[in-house]
Amino acid sequence: MFKHAVITPFLGQQRDRFSEYNEPKTLEQKLQTLRTIDGMTGAELVYPYEVNYDNLAELKLLLVKYDVKVACINVNVKVEKEFISGGLTSPDKAVRERAVSFIKEAKDYAEEVGADKVQCCPLSDGYEFSFQADYVETWQRLCETFGEAGDYKPHIPLFIEYKPNEVRGRCYLDNAAKTICLIKDIGNPNIGVTLDYGHSLYGDNNPAEELALLNSLDMKYYIHINDNDGKWDWDYFCGSRSLMQYIEFIYYLKKFNYQGWLTSDTSPTRWDIVKMFEANIRMTNRISSRIDTIGMETFGESLRKKEYMDIWADLESYFIKI
C-alpha cells in the first residue's frame, strides 16, 4: 500500500474569494486531526507561514507525540508584498534573492525536522496579458533562481510544482513538459517535479501520461492527489469526477514502483474533513488492491490488445460490479 500524507493547512480553516470554511486550528490540533484519519501518517507543512523557526521546538515535540512523519516542507513564495507580481522572476534582483532565500531556509528547516524534500509552487510567477513579460528574460531568471535554490543542500531535493494558473492568469510553469525543460536547462538531477493530479487534469493533460513522461526521463517526482472537473482546480476527493483516469494513474504509479508519499492536496470546504481525507486513502488503496488482485501482467495483456473496445470490456470486468 502507498504512504499517505496531507497538506496540513487543509485540516484547519479554508478561505476562498467569498467565504470561510471550518474553524481555525493550532498546529497541535491539526496533527491531532491528522492522526484521526485512518491510514494517514505524514504531513506536508507550509513554511514560513504555518511552520517556522519560532515553532520549531514545538513541532519536533508534536511530531513525536502524534507519531507523524514529515513528507515534505512546502515553501510559500507568493504571500509577501514584493512577491505578488512574481518573486523568482522579479526584475528586481533583491526580490529574487529573497525568494531564493525562502527556499534555502525551507531546506534548512526540512533538515531540522527530518524531511527529505522541499517543494515549491511558484504561483505568483506568471502573467495575464500580451507584451506583459519578456519570456526570454523570465525563463533565464527561473533557471537562475531555481538553479541556485537547487544547488543549496543538494541532499534535500527541491521539487517544483507546476500549475496552469492561479494566482496569475497563466503561470510560467504550467505543465510537466515545460517544468522538465527548465530542470534540463538547469542541469541539476536533484531538482524534481511535483505532479499534482488535479493541476495536470485541468491543464488539459493526462496525469498518467505526464507521470510516464517523468518516469521515462528518469526525473524525480512527488505526487499530490485530488480530483476536479477539468475546468478548475477544485481539489475534490479522489475518483469523484475522473474515476477511470485516476485508476489509470494508480496503475502507472504501481508499474513504476513509486515508493514516495501520496499527499492529499484536497479542500474539505463543505464536507467533513476527516471523512474526505479518509475517502482519498480508501479510494486509492482499494484501486491499488484491485489492481493487485487482477495482476499487473493481466493488465498488461489487456493494454496490448489492438481493439480498444476489447480493452474496455476488460476494464468493465475488472472494475464495474453492478
Side-chain angles (χ1 to χ4, degrees):
M1 290 297 179
F2 295 105
K3 299 186 298 182
H4 288 276
V6 62
I7 299 179
T8 47
F10 286 116
L11 301 175
Q13 188 174 70
Q14 294 295 298
R15 297 180 178 88
D16 60 22
R17 292 168 59 195
F18 305 106
S19 302
E20 292 182 348
Y21 308 93
N22 301 313
E23 296 299 318
K25 286 191 176 78
T26 65
L27 184 58
E28 179 164 15
Q29 288 171 329
K30 291 176 188 175
L31 295 186
Q32 282 177 322
T33 301
L34 187 156
R35 291 305 281 150
T36 67
I37 300 168
D38 188 25
M40 190 72 75
T41 57
E44 181 176 310
L45 301 154
V46 179
Y47 180 92
Y49 303 108
E50 180 186 36
V51 296
N52 49 56
Y53 283 92
D54 290 338
N55 62 12
L56 175 60
E58 177 193 8
L59 175 62
K60 287 182 175 180
L61 292 173
L62 292 175
L63 292 172
V64 174
K65 180 178 179 179
Y66 294 103
D67 191 23
V68 172
K69 305 297 183 186
V70 182
C72 183
I73 296 296
N74 182 324
V75 54
N76 188 321
V77 291
K78 65 180 184 296
V79 173
E80 301 296 298
K81 186 175 181 180
E82 65 264 47
F83 296 161
I84 62 173
S85 294
L88 294 161
T89 57
S90 172
D92 188 328
K93 187 172 186 292
V95 173
R96 297 198 303 273
E97 288 175 346
R98 187 165 189 230
V100 170
S101 75
F102 272 41
I103 302 175
K104 290 180 177 179
E105 291 168 11
K107 285 194 172 190
D108 293 336
Y109 198 87
E111 196 168 47
E112 287 274 8
V113 298
D116 64 357
K117 68 177 77 65
V118 302
Q119 84 106 39
C120 178
C121 191
L123 297 180
S124 66
D125 289 284
Y127 61 97
E128 287 74 37
F129 310 112
S130 299
F131 293 101
Q132 187 176 358
D134 184 318
Y135 309 124
V136 176
E137 287 186 359
T138 53
W139 186 261
Q140 186 59 41
R141 289 171 190 154
L142 283 170
C143 288
E144 291 173 355
T145 51
F146 273 125
E148 181 181 345
D151 285 341
Y152 182 73
K153 294 193 173 179
H155 59 286
I156 300 177
L158 165 63
F159 289 78
I160 302 172
E161 181 178 3
Y162 61 91
K163 188 171 185 177
N165 51 48
E166 193 193 29
V167 292
R168 302 307 300 268
R170 184 182 186 94
C171 296
Y172 288 126
L173 297 177
D174 56 357
N175 59 51
K178 195 184 292 185
T179 310
I180 291 167
C181 287
L182 177 73
I183 295 169
K184 292 290 187 182
D185 265 8
I186 293 170
N188 185 340
N190 292 308
I191 302 177
V193 177
T194 297
L195 196 173
D196 181 293
Y197 179 89
H199 295 181
S200 177
L201 199 65
Y202 97 90
D204 200 25
N205 290 297
N206 179 354
E209 184 183 12
E210 289 199 309
L211 175 62
L213 177 65
L214 290 166
N215 194 78
S216 67
L217 294 174
D218 199 28
M219 304 292 297
K220 293 180 184 293
Y221 51 88
Y222 168 55
I223 304 297
H224 283 177
I225 56 173
N226 45 55
D227 204 349
N228 62 59
D229 59 3
K231 298 177 182 179
W232 180 244
D233 188 33
W234 295 111
D235 286 335
Y236 294 147
F237 62 93
C238 298
S240 56
R241 297 302 298 263
S242 62
L243 179 56
M244 193 57 74
Q245 282 180 279
Y246 193 63
I247 291 171
E248 183 184 41
F249 186 67
I250 297 301
Y251 168 77
Y252 277 96
L253 284 173
K254 293 173 72 65
K255 181 181 177 71
F256 301 144
N257 194 31
Y258 179 69
Q259 297 294 306
W261 293 91
L262 293 185
T263 297
S264 287
D265 186 340
T266 308
S267 184
T269 51
R270 299 165 181 84
W271 304 280
D272 183 275
I273 292 173
V274 172
K275 289 179 180 179
M276 175 169 274
F277 288 114
E278 286 183 339
N280 276 2
I281 295 170
R282 188 173 62 250
M283 287 293 294
T284 302
N285 288 350
R286 289 185 70 183
I287 291 167
S288 176
S289 179
R290 181 62 183 156
I291 291 171
D292 288 340
T293 299
I294 297 163
M296 292 296 287
E297 181 53 37
T298 301
F299 243 109
E301 291 172 4
S302 293
L303 293 176
R304 287 189 289 272
K305 292 182 177 179
K306 294 181 180 179
E307 170 56 57
Y308 181 72
M309 297 313 301
D310 294 334
I311 298 173
W312 181 255
D314 285 349
L315 295 174
E316 285 183 36
S317 70
Y318 297 158
F319 294 107
I320 300 175
K321 303 291 184 184
I322 299 177

